[in-house]
Amino acid sequence: MCGIAGIVYKDKKLHNIGEGITNMLEAIQHRGPDSAGFAIYGGLNLNNEFLFNIQVNNENVIPKIQNLINTKSHIKKGEVIHSVNNSLIYQCIIELKDYSKLNPLIREINAFNNVIVLNASQSFEMIKDIGAVEKIAMHYNTKHKRGTHAIGHTRFSTESNVDIYHAHPFQTYILKDITVVHNGQITNYWKIRDKLERQGHTFETNNDTECLVHYIANKLHKGYSLEESLEKSIKDLDGPFSYIIGTKNGIGIAKDRLGLRPGVIAENDNIFAIASEEVSLQKVANTKYIEKISPGDVRVYEI
């Protein structure tokens, strides 16, 4: 059992969306005490640059990472923003004009001992950590983040490690700025993963959520719309699941054919919001009129 949430402001303007998505996740904290995370879109708008969050075991490795990056591109800014469980989160902005070079660079950085790139983004800021939403929100100042739309997650671990990297959202670098938060299990995970690997996808974990984000990115890369990609996932994926995809232009949710994982929607003139439970929607909208997402249904809102 995990909690998922997403919100879009329809006017495309920047709002205090960090406060909204944080409150939504705090309301469903009971669904996942292990870790939590956010992808907040719109407040970060980089051109030929990427915001990296890199987890390292000590400060001594940071100059080595900087030297590597500067041989491939250019660091414009870098600093340690947080420490957790004897590790540090090093954040930097990297100038990189050729997107095809991003994934190879990430792999080289990950080759350092006890170093892992948590994310690299242009249009969104990813924040995720172990522990409760309230603690994470305080450490990373999420309630003051501005944006146009966001997705979030509270995790109850049913597979893989409880650490920052395995916290949701998950990201893929097949396309820019695609993220996912997920509640459930993909029971034909290995079948789907095998097909994707045959098409050139490389997986970093055995977590089925990573498979989801690769699947959707693969469909988008082939020219399908977000709605079409979600609809195909309903047909191709087995198991109990509901998940939210975030893109630069909006969010979408898909629910398994048997309806075994919850999902509800609230919408008005200003926002479109989705979550696992109504109590989450109540933090951002009047829930007099809410809609339950039907089994096998998908919903998309793009701005």
Side-chain angles (χ1 to χ4, degrees), residues 7-9 12-15 17 41-43 146-150 303:
I7 182 173
V8 180
Y9 279 93
K12 304 181 183 180
K13 296 179 181 178
L14 295 180
H15 294 265
I17 200 163
Y41 287 84
R146 294 176 63 79
T148 54
H149 56 292
I303 56 177

Side-chain angles (χ1 to χ4, degrees), residues 88-104:
L88 304 172
I89 307 300
Y90 172 67
Q91 186 178 87
C92 59
I93 295 177
I94 296 175
E95 185 176 24
L96 193 65
K97 296 180 180 180
D98 186 350
Y99 185 73
S100 68
K101 295 182 179 179
L102 178 64
N103 208 20

